[in-house]
Amino acid sequence: MAQTPSPATDEKLPTVIQGGMGAAVSNWVLAKQVSQAGQLGVVSGVALDTVVARRLQDGDPGGHIRRAFAAFPVQEVAERALEKFFRPGGRERDQAYVPVPNLTISPVARSRELQILSAFAEVWLAKEGHDGVVGINMLEKIQLAIVPGLYGAMLAGVDYVLVGAGIPSKIPRLLDQLARHEQSDMEIHVDGATQTYATSLDPDLVVPRGTLPPLKRPKMLAIISSHPLAAYLTKETITTPDGFVVEGHVAGGHNTPPRGRMTITDEGEPVYGTRDEADLAKIAKYGLPFWVAGAYATPEHVAEARAMGAVGVQVGTIFALSSDSGTTPENRQKLLDALAEDRLQVKTDALASPTGFPFKVVPMDGTIGGDETYAARGRICDLAYLRTPFERSPGKLGYRCPSEPEDDYVRKGGELENTVGRKCLCNGLMATVGMPQVRAGIEEDALLTLGSDLTAAKELLRRHPNGWNARQALDYLLGGPALEQAPRQDLALAAR
Ligand SMILES: Cc1cc2nc3c(=O)[nH]c(=O)nc-3n(C[C@H](O)[C@H](O)[C@H](O)COP(=O)(O)O)c2cc1C
């Protein structure tokens, strides 16, 4: 039961999608394990330029990034990045990481190169040495990273692109254009815009035209939470994805806000109702393959999903907790200890994310999910992936993030009330995967996210009291050893 013929074609489709988990929780190591086991391994495309630049500054243990860079079609691009970021032997632990340029609508050449190169490297490593399928996950909310990220991933032969946290209507056209190495423009949402704004990538500036034949056009799966969005996306061919991941609000990471006006409980959680449940029968009518996500992580759920017409399931939490994920062993152990002692909580925080979307937070002491640690962190926005562009004057843009210092945000025309309760996801998530920024010798604290249903994680812990790896999670989900097992390589530490 590992693979299923697609309703639309004969092609084999994976039963299990290991969901994209940013930043670098679903890194190339995890995605490779899943992919080698015959299912769809997905690398996170979130903040990959920072992830790759920091791995290089940590000395690139195992030489993985340098090996991937050596396969990039234009070596001068790879050499420039190595020169800027690679520190043989790694930086001192108390030394700050060198920043990468922030995303803007018209990035400087080095920034564009690094974004393409880092997406290339992560996908290339996940695909190295086997012929399993690999996907990349991107967030529509981080619009400015999408076009270069897609192109880099496609240069490495990515098989699937999965996009959520917004309305991914522009992605199918971008994939068509980028496969032909054509200039690709993407309209950008700008607060207070009096005109339209677009970000543009001319691949010729990085990979000179004629260097490569056309690229494989990956399949695009739209991550949606409701059937009206499926109806909207399938109205025109140019916006129609190749399939859907239908994700409920119990899933880890960001969640779609409730429909209508958001009501928030005293505990700070959004209230969801029956209108927020996707109607799978309606989604099935579009004839596209679909997977269900969010508390579909037991073998029974896999059977249930298939009985409802889904090809399979997308699963996050049990892979995030596996020893192959990018989560540091210390953070993972804290989560597993709490799980074993039945004190692991997951809160749907209506305010934490600067995007305004609810975000699942583990409210654990010593992480910025815990109130005291959050309160002790001064507001600093330097990674800036979740900034929103706003119009300063016609044709001129500024950028602001609700989790930056309140005064700065208000000076840029933001509403003070929009800053309340916002957390710095960017720095917190980098710390989760062992690459915290260091300021005056002090490391940023982690921010942990998981899905709110822990049934499958508890069962895996019962079976594997010392923790489990991605293969064991797949064995459990598929009710037996995953198919097409290749020899296991223990690479989890090497990726950090
Ligand atoms: C640690 C973590 C990070 C996540 N980050 C992302 C992300 O960056 N993009 C995304 O589309 N989904 C993200 N998700 C959602 C997963 O891809 C998946 O759909 C979801 O976790 C499935 O629900 P489950 O956790 O109940 O299995 C994340 C989930 C977790 C647990």
PDB file of all heavy atoms in Angstrom, residues 19-22 25 44 46 137-139 164 223 247 250-254 293-297 314-318 320 449-453, ligand 1:
ATOM      1  N   GLY A  19       5.486  16.205   5.738  1.00  0.00           N
ATOM      2  CA  GLY A  19       5.219  17.620   5.495  1.00  0.00           C
ATOM      3  C   GLY A  19       6.449  18.486   5.629  1.00  0.00           C
ATOM      4  O   GLY A  19       7.367  18.175   6.400  1.00  0.00           O
ATOM      5  N   GLY A  20       6.473  19.580   4.873  1.00  0.00           N
ATOM      6  CA  GLY A  20       7.542  20.564   4.998  1.00  0.00           C
ATOM      7  C   GLY A  20       7.453  21.210   6.369  1.00  0.00           C
ATOM      8  O   GLY A  20       6.360  21.568   6.806  1.00  0.00           O
ATOM      9  N   MET A  21       8.573  21.339   7.049  1.00  0.00           N
ATOM     10  CA  MET A  21       8.571  21.922   8.402  1.00  0.00           C
ATOM     11  C   MET A  21       9.735  22.893   8.525  1.00  0.00           C
ATOM     12  O   MET A  21      10.902  22.512   8.551  1.00  0.00           O
ATOM     13  CB  MET A  21       8.668  20.804   9.454  1.00  0.00           C
ATOM     14  CG  MET A  21       7.436  19.895   9.441  1.00  0.00           C
ATOM     15  SD  MET A  21       7.515  18.558  10.632  1.00  0.00           S
ATOM     16  CE  MET A  21       8.637  17.404   9.855  1.00  0.00           C
ATOM     17  N   GLY A  22       9.342  24.202   8.584  1.00  0.00           N
ATOM     18  CA  GLY A  22      10.367  25.229   8.613  1.00  0.00           C
ATOM     19  C   GLY A  22      10.713  25.641  10.026  1.00  0.00           C
ATOM     20  O   GLY A  22       9.946  25.430  10.931  1.00  0.00           O
ATOM     21  N   VAL A  25      13.560  22.120  10.046  1.00  0.00           N
ATOM     22  CA  VAL A  25      13.155  20.930  10.816  1.00  0.00           C
ATOM     23  C   VAL A  25      13.063  19.776   9.819  1.00  0.00           C
ATOM     24  O   VAL A  25      13.599  18.687  10.046  1.00  0.00           O
ATOM     25  CB  VAL A  25      11.820  21.164  11.560  1.00  0.00           C
ATOM     26  CG1 VAL A  25      11.268  19.862  12.114  1.00  0.00           C
ATOM     27  CG2 VAL A  25      12.022  22.185  12.678  1.00  0.00           C
ATOM     28  N   SER A  44      12.096  21.859   3.833  1.00  0.00           N
ATOM     29  CA  SER A  44      11.507  23.180   4.034  1.00  0.00           C
ATOM     30  C   SER A  44      12.278  24.184   3.199  1.00  0.00           C
ATOM     31  O   SER A  44      13.507  24.189   3.190  1.00  0.00           O
ATOM     32  CB  SER A  44      11.601  23.568   5.507  1.00  0.00           C
ATOM     33  OG  SER A  44      11.348  24.955   5.624  1.00  0.00           O
ATOM     34  N   VAL A  46      11.903  27.369   3.797  1.00  0.00           N
ATOM     35  CA  VAL A  46      11.855  28.597   4.599  1.00  0.00           C
ATOM     36  C   VAL A  46      13.261  28.997   5.054  1.00  0.00           C
ATOM     37  O   VAL A  46      13.983  28.181   5.635  1.00  0.00           O
ATOM     38  CB  VAL A  46      10.941  28.392   5.831  1.00  0.00           C
ATOM     39  CG1 VAL A  46      11.038  29.567   6.788  1.00  0.00           C
ATOM     40  CG2 VAL A  46       9.507  28.172   5.389  1.00  0.00           C
ATOM     41  N   ASN A 137       8.863  22.787   0.308  1.00  0.00           N
ATOM     42  CA  ASN A 137       7.704  23.492   0.850  1.00  0.00           C
ATOM     43  C   ASN A 137       8.001  24.975   0.939  1.00  0.00           C
ATOM     44  O   ASN A 137       9.072  25.382   1.401  1.00  0.00           O
ATOM     45  CB  ASN A 137       7.397  22.937   2.250  1.00  0.00           C
ATOM     46  CG  ASN A 137       6.292  23.705   2.960  1.00  0.00           C
ATOM     47  OD1 ASN A 137       6.554  24.654   3.687  1.00  0.00           O
ATOM     48  ND2 ASN A 137       5.070  23.298   2.777  1.00  0.00           N
ATOM     49  N   MET A 138       7.062  25.788   0.469  1.00  0.00           N
ATOM     50  CA  MET A 138       7.230  27.237   0.569  1.00  0.00           C
ATOM     51  C   MET A 138       5.967  27.844   1.147  1.00  0.00           C
ATOM     52  O   MET A 138       4.884  27.277   1.015  1.00  0.00           O
ATOM     53  CB  MET A 138       7.436  27.839  -0.818  1.00  0.00           C
ATOM     54  CG  MET A 138       8.480  27.128  -1.629  1.00  0.00           C
ATOM     55  SD  MET A 138       9.396  28.309  -2.570  1.00  0.00           S
ATOM     56  CE  MET A 138      10.963  28.112  -1.965  1.00  0.00           C
ATOM     57  N   LEU A 139       6.137  28.991   1.768  1.00  0.00           N
ATOM     58  CA  LEU A 139       4.995  29.689   2.338  1.00  0.00           C
ATOM     59  C   LEU A 139       4.645  30.884   1.456  1.00  0.00           C
ATOM     60  O   LEU A 139       5.511  31.720   1.167  1.00  0.00           O
ATOM     61  CB  LEU A 139       5.326  30.205   3.742  1.00  0.00           C
ATOM     62  CG  LEU A 139       5.711  29.184   4.801  1.00  0.00           C
ATOM     63  CD1 LEU A 139       5.855  29.853   6.153  1.00  0.00           C
ATOM     64  CD2 LEU A 139       4.682  28.070   4.886  1.00  0.00           C
ATOM     65  N   GLY A 164       1.723  26.617   0.920  1.00  0.00           N
ATOM     66  CA  GLY A 164       0.572  26.904   1.773  1.00  0.00           C
ATOM     67  C   GLY A 164       0.684  28.284   2.375  1.00  0.00           C
ATOM     68  O   GLY A 164       1.430  29.133   1.868  1.00  0.00           O
ATOM     69  N   ILE A 223      -1.528  23.673  -0.563  1.00  0.00           N
ATOM     70  CA  ILE A 223      -1.955  23.304   0.800  1.00  0.00           C
ATOM     71  C   ILE A 223      -3.129  24.215   1.157  1.00  0.00           C
ATOM     72  O   ILE A 223      -2.975  25.441   1.224  1.00  0.00           O
ATOM     73  CB  ILE A 223      -0.799  23.466   1.800  1.00  0.00           C
ATOM     74  CG1 ILE A 223       0.411  22.654   1.323  1.00  0.00           C
ATOM     75  CG2 ILE A 223      -1.234  23.030   3.196  1.00  0.00           C
ATOM     76  CD1 ILE A 223       1.656  22.822   2.166  1.00  0.00           C
ATOM     77  N   GLU A 247      -5.384  20.593   4.813  1.00  0.00           N
ATOM     78  CA  GLU A 247      -4.794  20.592   6.151  1.00  0.00           C
ATOM     79  C   GLU A 247      -5.751  21.224   7.168  1.00  0.00           C
ATOM     80  O   GLU A 247      -6.198  22.356   6.981  1.00  0.00           O
ATOM     81  CB  GLU A 247      -3.489  21.391   6.106  1.00  0.00           C
ATOM     82  CG  GLU A 247      -2.654  21.254   7.354  1.00  0.00           C
ATOM     83  CD  GLU A 247      -1.421  22.145   7.294  1.00  0.00           C
ATOM     84  OE1 GLU A 247      -1.566  23.376   7.339  1.00  0.00           O
ATOM     85  OE2 GLU A 247      -0.308  21.600   7.203  1.00  0.00           O
ATOM     86  N   VAL A 250      -5.574  21.579  13.331  1.00  0.00           N
ATOM     87  CA  VAL A 250      -4.812  20.910  14.403  1.00  0.00           C
ATOM     88  C   VAL A 250      -3.361  20.647  13.979  1.00  0.00           C
ATOM     89  O   VAL A 250      -2.553  20.178  14.776  1.00  0.00           O
ATOM     90  CB  VAL A 250      -5.480  19.569  14.821  1.00  0.00           C
ATOM     91  CG1 VAL A 250      -6.760  19.835  15.581  1.00  0.00           C
ATOM     92  CG2 VAL A 250      -5.723  18.690  13.610  1.00  0.00           C
ATOM     93  N   ALA A 251      -3.049  20.941  12.735  1.00  0.00           N
ATOM     94  CA  ALA A 251      -1.689  20.679  12.212  1.00  0.00           C
ATOM     95  C   ALA A 251      -0.658  21.579  12.889  1.00  0.00           C
ATOM     96  O   ALA A 251      -0.997  22.637  13.419  1.00  0.00           O
ATOM     97  CB  ALA A 251      -1.671  20.935  10.703  1.00  0.00           C
ATOM     98  N   GLY A 252       0.614  21.159  12.834  1.00  0.00           N
ATOM     99  CA  GLY A 252       1.698  21.955  13.391  1.00  0.00           C
ATOM    100  C   GLY A 252       1.993  23.184  12.546  1.00  0.00           C
ATOM    101  O   GLY A 252       1.501  23.322  11.426  1.00  0.00           O
ATOM    102  N   GLY A 253       2.807  24.101  13.091  1.00  0.00           N
ATOM    103  CA  GLY A 253       3.203  25.305  12.348  1.00  0.00           C
ATOM    104  C   GLY A 253       2.056  26.311  12.259  1.00  0.00           C
ATOM    105  O   GLY A 253       1.257  26.451  13.191  1.00  0.00           O
ATOM    106  N   HIS A 254       1.971  27.007  11.120  1.00  0.00           N
ATOM    107  CA  HIS A 254       0.893  27.981  10.911  1.00  0.00           C
ATOM    108  C   HIS A 254      -0.424  27.275  10.581  1.00  0.00           C
ATOM    109  O   HIS A 254      -0.424  26.223   9.944  1.00  0.00           O
ATOM    110  CB  HIS A 254       1.241  28.906   9.739  1.00  0.00           C
ATOM    111  CG  HIS A 254       2.234  29.969  10.082  1.00  0.00           C
ATOM    112  ND1 HIS A 254       3.569  29.862   9.796  1.00  0.00           N
ATOM    113  CD2 HIS A 254       2.077  31.165  10.706  1.00  0.00           C
ATOM    114  CE1 HIS A 254       4.203  30.949  10.217  1.00  0.00           C
ATOM    115  NE2 HIS A 254       3.323  31.756  10.785  1.00  0.00           N
ATOM    116  N   ALA A 293      -4.190  16.259   5.956  1.00  0.00           N
ATOM    117  CA  ALA A 293      -3.129  16.553   6.929  1.00  0.00           C
ATOM    118  C   ALA A 293      -3.710  17.154   8.203  1.00  0.00           C
ATOM    119  O   ALA A 293      -4.741  17.814   8.174  1.00  0.00           O
ATOM    120  CB  ALA A 293      -2.134  17.553   6.321  1.00  0.00           C
ATOM    121  N   GLY A 294      -2.989  16.902   9.302  1.00  0.00           N
ATOM    122  CA  GLY A 294      -3.426  17.438  10.600  1.00  0.00           C
ATOM    123  C   GLY A 294      -4.143  16.353  11.354  1.00  0.00           C
ATOM    124  O   GLY A 294      -5.326  16.105  11.119  1.00  0.00           O
ATOM    125  N   ALA A 295      -3.391  15.659  12.242  1.00  0.00           N
ATOM    126  CA  ALA A 295      -3.957  14.546  13.023  1.00  0.00           C
ATOM    127  C   ALA A 295      -4.399  13.388  12.136  1.00  0.00           C
ATOM    128  O   ALA A 295      -5.411  12.745  12.413  1.00  0.00           O
ATOM    129  CB  ALA A 295      -5.098  15.036  13.908  1.00  0.00           C
ATOM    130  N   TYR A 296      -3.648  13.143  11.067  1.00  0.00           N
ATOM    131  CA  TYR A 296      -3.829  11.924  10.257  1.00  0.00           C
ATOM    132  C   TYR A 296      -2.521  11.135  10.309  1.00  0.00           C
ATOM    133  O   TYR A 296      -1.876  10.922   9.293  1.00  0.00           O
ATOM    134  CB  TYR A 296      -4.179  12.271   8.815  1.00  0.00           C
ATOM    135  CG  TYR A 296      -5.647  12.583   8.617  1.00  0.00           C
ATOM    136  CD1 TYR A 296      -6.108  13.880   8.668  1.00  0.00           C
ATOM    137  CD2 TYR A 296      -6.564  11.558   8.409  1.00  0.00           C
ATOM    138  CE1 TYR A 296      -7.451  14.176   8.495  1.00  0.00           C
ATOM    139  CE2 TYR A 296      -7.912  11.842   8.240  1.00  0.00           C
ATOM    140  CZ  TYR A 296      -8.345  13.151   8.283  1.00  0.00           C
ATOM    141  OH  TYR A 296      -9.680  13.416   8.118  1.00  0.00           O
ATOM    142  N   ALA A 297      -2.137  10.715  11.492  1.00  0.00           N
ATOM    143  CA  ALA A 297      -0.783  10.171  11.647  1.00  0.00           C
ATOM    144  C   ALA A 297      -0.758   8.767  12.248  1.00  0.00           C
ATOM    145  O   ALA A 297       0.282   8.340  12.752  1.00  0.00           O
ATOM    146  CB  ALA A 297       0.064  11.140  12.473  1.00  0.00           C
ATOM    147  N   GLN A 314      -0.592  13.707   4.689  1.00  0.00           N
ATOM    148  CA  GLN A 314       0.637  14.463   4.950  1.00  0.00           C
ATOM    149  C   GLN A 314       0.791  14.527   6.471  1.00  0.00           C
ATOM    150  O   GLN A 314      -0.149  14.861   7.185  1.00  0.00           O
ATOM    151  CB  GLN A 314       0.577  15.879   4.375  1.00  0.00           C
ATOM    152  CG  GLN A 314       1.782  16.719   4.813  1.00  0.00           C
ATOM    153  CD  GLN A 314       1.922  18.048   4.095  1.00  0.00           C
ATOM    154  OE1 GLN A 314       2.245  18.069   2.914  1.00  0.00           O
ATOM    155  NE2 GLN A 314       1.699  19.147   4.798  1.00  0.00           N
ATOM    156  N   VAL A 315       1.997  14.223   6.935  1.00  0.00           N
ATOM    157  CA  VAL A 315       2.227  14.067   8.365  1.00  0.00           C
ATOM    158  C   VAL A 315       3.418  14.927   8.792  1.00  0.00           C
ATOM    159  O   VAL A 315       4.419  14.992   8.061  1.00  0.00           O
ATOM    160  CB  VAL A 315       2.509  12.569   8.663  1.00  0.00           C
ATOM    161  CG1 VAL A 315       2.844  12.362  10.131  1.00  0.00           C
ATOM    162  CG2 VAL A 315       1.301  11.717   8.275  1.00  0.00           C
ATOM    163  N   GLY A 316       3.307  15.598   9.962  1.00  0.00           N
ATOM    164  CA  GLY A 316       4.409  16.442  10.413  1.00  0.00           C
ATOM    165  C   GLY A 316       4.987  16.037  11.756  1.00  0.00           C
ATOM    166  O   GLY A 316       6.153  15.630  11.855  1.00  0.00           O
ATOM    167  N   THR A 317       4.159  16.109  12.796  1.00  0.00           N
ATOM    168  CA  THR A 317       4.646  15.997  14.180  1.00  0.00           C
ATOM    169  C   THR A 317       5.554  14.793  14.424  1.00  0.00           C
ATOM    170  O   THR A 317       6.625  14.932  15.014  1.00  0.00           O
ATOM    171  CB  THR A 317       3.425  15.966  15.130  1.00  0.00           C
ATOM    172  OG1 THR A 317       2.722  17.200  14.953  1.00  0.00           O
ATOM    173  CG2 THR A 317       3.829  15.822  16.583  1.00  0.00           C
ATOM    174  N   ILE A 318       5.150  13.605  13.976  1.00  0.00           N
ATOM    175  CA  ILE A 318       5.972  12.427  14.311  1.00  0.00           C
ATOM    176  C   ILE A 318       7.319  12.445  13.573  1.00  0.00           C
ATOM    177  O   ILE A 318       8.288  11.850  14.032  1.00  0.00           O
ATOM    178  CB  ILE A 318       5.235  11.078  14.082  1.00  0.00           C
ATOM    179  CG1 ILE A 318       4.797  10.911  12.630  1.00  0.00           C
ATOM    180  CG2 ILE A 318       4.074  10.928  15.054  1.00  0.00           C
ATOM    181  CD1 ILE A 318       4.234   9.511  12.318  1.00  0.00           C
ATOM    182  N   ALA A 320       8.845  15.470  12.918  1.00  0.00           N
ATOM    183  CA  ALA A 320       9.593  16.523  13.626  1.00  0.00           C
ATOM    184  C   ALA A 320      10.246  15.947  14.879  1.00  0.00           C
ATOM    185  O   ALA A 320      11.326  16.373  15.284  1.00  0.00           O
ATOM    186  CB  ALA A 320       8.656  17.673  13.998  1.00  0.00           C
ATOM    187  N   THR A 449       7.342  24.191  17.794  1.00  0.00           N
ATOM    188  CA  THR A 449       5.975  24.007  17.292  1.00  0.00           C
ATOM    189  C   THR A 449       5.736  22.534  16.980  1.00  0.00           C
ATOM    190  O   THR A 449       6.648  21.832  16.528  1.00  0.00           O
ATOM    191  CB  THR A 449       5.696  24.892  16.047  1.00  0.00           C
ATOM    192  OG1 THR A 449       4.373  24.608  15.566  1.00  0.00           O
ATOM    193  CG2 THR A 449       6.685  24.662  14.918  1.00  0.00           C
ATOM    194  N   LEU A 450       4.528  22.091  17.252  1.00  0.00           N
ATOM    195  CA  LEU A 450       4.096  20.718  16.932  1.00  0.00           C
ATOM    196  C   LEU A 450       2.615  20.774  16.615  1.00  0.00           C
ATOM    197  O   LEU A 450       1.944  21.759  16.949  1.00  0.00           O
ATOM    198  CB  LEU A 450       4.276  19.784  18.140  1.00  0.00           C
ATOM    199  CG  LEU A 450       5.681  19.372  18.565  1.00  0.00           C
ATOM    200  CD1 LEU A 450       5.588  18.512  19.828  1.00  0.00           C
ATOM    201  CD2 LEU A 450       6.411  18.596  17.466  1.00  0.00           C
ATOM    202  N   GLY A 451       2.083  19.703  16.041  1.00  0.00           N
ATOM    203  CA  GLY A 451       0.634  19.605  15.875  1.00  0.00           C
ATOM    204  C   GLY A 451      -0.006  19.293  17.226  1.00  0.00           C
ATOM    205  O   GLY A 451       0.661  18.794  18.144  1.00  0.00           O
ATOM    206  N   SER A 452      -1.312  19.585  17.351  1.00  0.00           N
ATOM    207  CA  SER A 452      -1.910  19.417  18.688  1.00  0.00           C
ATOM    208  C   SER A 452      -2.358  17.994  18.978  1.00  0.00           C
ATOM    209  O   SER A 452      -2.673  17.673  20.115  1.00  0.00           O
ATOM    210  CB  SER A 452      -3.042  20.408  18.908  1.00  0.00           C
ATOM    211  OG  SER A 452      -3.856  20.474  17.789  1.00  0.00           O
ATOM    212  N   ASP A 453      -2.368  17.117  17.986  1.00  0.00           N
ATOM    213  CA  ASP A 453      -2.759  15.733  18.267  1.00  0.00           C
ATOM    214  C   ASP A 453      -1.493  14.884  18.456  1.00  0.00           C
ATOM    215  O   ASP A 453      -0.696  14.731  17.529  1.00  0.00           O
ATOM    216  CB  ASP A 453      -3.595  15.182  17.113  1.00  0.00           C
ATOM    217  CG  ASP A 453      -4.080  13.778  17.430  1.00  0.00           C
ATOM    218  OD1 ASP A 453      -5.108  13.650  18.112  1.00  0.00           O
ATOM    219  OD2 ASP A 453      -3.389  12.810  17.039  1.00  0.00           O
TER     220      ASP A 453
HETATM  221  C1  LIG B   1       7.656  21.576  13.480  1.00  0.00           C
HETATM  222  C2  LIG B   1       6.650  21.833  12.402  1.00  0.00           C
HETATM  223  C3  LIG B   1       6.885  22.841  11.471  1.00  0.00           C
HETATM  224  C4  LIG B   1       6.002  23.029  10.406  1.00  0.00           C
HETATM  225  N1  LIG B   1       6.293  23.971   9.459  1.00  0.00           N
HETATM  226  C5  LIG B   1       5.549  24.052   8.327  1.00  0.00           C
HETATM  227  C6  LIG B   1       5.952  24.904   7.254  1.00  0.00           C
HETATM  228  O1  LIG B   1       6.977  25.581   7.314  1.00  0.00           O
HETATM  229  N2  LIG B   1       5.167  24.926   6.145  1.00  0.00           N
HETATM  230  C7  LIG B   1       4.018  24.173   6.034  1.00  0.00           C
HETATM  231  O2  LIG B   1       3.352  24.229   4.998  1.00  0.00           O
HETATM  232  N3  LIG B   1       3.627  23.352   7.041  1.00  0.00           N
HETATM  233  C8  LIG B   1       4.373  23.268   8.170  1.00  0.00           C
HETATM  234  N4  LIG B   1       4.013  22.382   9.158  1.00  0.00           N
HETATM  235  C9  LIG B   1       2.835  21.515   8.953  1.00  0.00           C
HETATM  236  C10 LIG B   1       3.269  20.110   8.442  1.00  0.00           C
HETATM  237  O3  LIG B   1       3.851  20.193   7.174  1.00  0.00           O
HETATM  238  C11 LIG B   1       2.087  19.111   8.386  1.00  0.00           C
HETATM  239  O4  LIG B   1       1.143  19.465   7.411  1.00  0.00           O
HETATM  240  C12 LIG B   1       1.334  19.014   9.689  1.00  0.00           C
HETATM  241  O5  LIG B   1       2.212  19.008  10.783  1.00  0.00           O
HETATM  242  C13 LIG B   1       0.472  17.745   9.706  1.00  0.00           C
HETATM  243  O6  LIG B   1      -0.153  17.574  10.934  1.00  0.00           O
HETATM  244  P1  LIG B   1       0.438  16.623  12.105  1.00  0.00           P
HETATM  245  O7  LIG B   1       1.525  17.410  12.736  1.00  0.00           O
HETATM  246  O8  LIG B   1      -0.745  16.423  12.993  1.00  0.00           O
HETATM  247  O9  LIG B   1       0.940  15.366  11.460  1.00  0.00           O
HETATM  248  C14 LIG B   1       4.845  22.223  10.278  1.00  0.00           C
HETATM  249  C15 LIG B   1       4.598  21.239  11.253  1.00  0.00           C
HETATM  250  C16 LIG B   1       5.473  21.034  12.296  1.00  0.00           C
HETATM  251  C17 LIG B   1       5.185  19.950  13.302  1.00  0.00           C
END
